[in-house]
Amino acid sequence: MGLGIDLGDGRTLVGPQLKHFFNSKDAANVQVLFADNHVLLGADYSYNQAISGARGLNWYIGVGPQLSFIDRGPFGNKTYFAIRPALGLEYKVPSAPLAFHFDWKPWWTLTDESDFEPSRFSIGFKYTFN
């Protein structure tokens, strides 16, 4: 459980996230991120693999759907559906219940204003329970 920050071209979004491992390799991550007049709900599946010789360091690859709710003031509200692949690194501090991640997470909007934004990244800080 921790804090996620989604940044790059466009808005920076910040909010809580939760990652749950089903086994040593398969995990799900859910998040609710916020920016001015913007709420993002996301869920991702990721395949995780330890990096040999680097205790606590894993690489992962994943994908998941995202919903963005944007308040455009007098121009109305807009909802966007996106698919977001992720490729990243996560470090679990071996002697503490802390983990950090950094990933490349491009944004592929599939709604009426379809768009691909490759310059998006996320970082996260987590408290771990095991």
Side-chain angles (χ1 to χ4, degrees), residues 44-74:
D44 305 308
Y45 161 80
S46 65
Y47 173 81
N48 301 259
Q49 182 70 47
I51 296 176
S52 180
R55 186 171 171 226
L57 187 61
N58 293 328
W59 65 268
Y60 60 90
I61 188 167
V63 67
Q66 313 283 300
L67 281 175
S68 285
F69 303 97
I70 300 174
D71 179 0
R72 295 186 170 192

Side-chain angles (χ1 to χ4, degrees), residues 33-103:
L33 304 177
F34 303 93
D36 287 338
N37 305 318
H38 189 160
V39 176
L40 178 132
L41 302 176
D44 305 308
Y45 161 80
S46 65
Y47 173 81
N48 301 259
Q49 182 70 47
I51 296 176
S52 180
R55 186 171 171 226
L57 187 61
N58 293 328
W59 65 268
Y60 60 90
I61 188 167
V63 67
Q66 313 283 300
L67 281 175
S68 285
F69 303 97
I70 300 174
D71 179 0
R72 295 186 170 192
F75 302 106
N77 299 326
K78 201 74 167 166
T79 301
Y80 295 95
F81 176 76
I83 295 292
R84 296 192 70 190
L87 177 62
L89 295 172
E90 184 168 63
Y91 178 68
K92 162 64 176 85
V93 178
S95 60
L98 301 173
F100 309 94
H101 82 263
F102 174 79
D103 60 35

